[in-house]
Amino acid sequence: MDFKHVKDYIYWLYYQYLLITCSYVLEPWERSMFHTITVTVVAMVVYTAYVFVPIHVRLAFEFFSQIFGGQPESRV
């Protein structure tokens, strides 16, 4: 794939993002604040999922393995 096509595709995706969020009508300083808040919220959600989802999956696996007759782990 040519670099120009990749660059055009990224510009197209960014334009779609501006259209979906209606942030193309904002002034530049409002747009930068909106992007900052959006990136911050997305980063917090990703971090929280990275930290807490594996713990909850492990606990759910242990819970259901005990319910359906799994062997309990020895606590040494």
Side-chain angles (χ1 to χ4, degrees), residues 8-63:
D8 290 340
Y9 182 68
I10 291 173
Y11 284 143
W12 180 78
L13 285 176
Y14 179 68
Y15 184 68
Q16 292 297 313
Y17 165 75
L18 291 177
L19 288 175
I20 290 171
T21 59
C22 296
S23 60
Y24 63 92
V25 296
L26 300 175
E27 293 190 20
W29 70 272
E30 293 172 327
R31 190 179 301 158
S32 67
M33 291 299 295
F34 177 77
H35 292 323
T36 302
I37 292 169
T38 303
V39 167
T40 303
V41 168
V42 168
M44 288 190 298
V45 167
V46 168
Y47 175 76
T48 303
Y50 176 75
V51 170
F52 292 110
V53 167
I55 295 169
H56 285 72
V57 168
R58 183 182 54 83
L59 290 174
F61 178 73
E62 289 177 5
F63 175 75

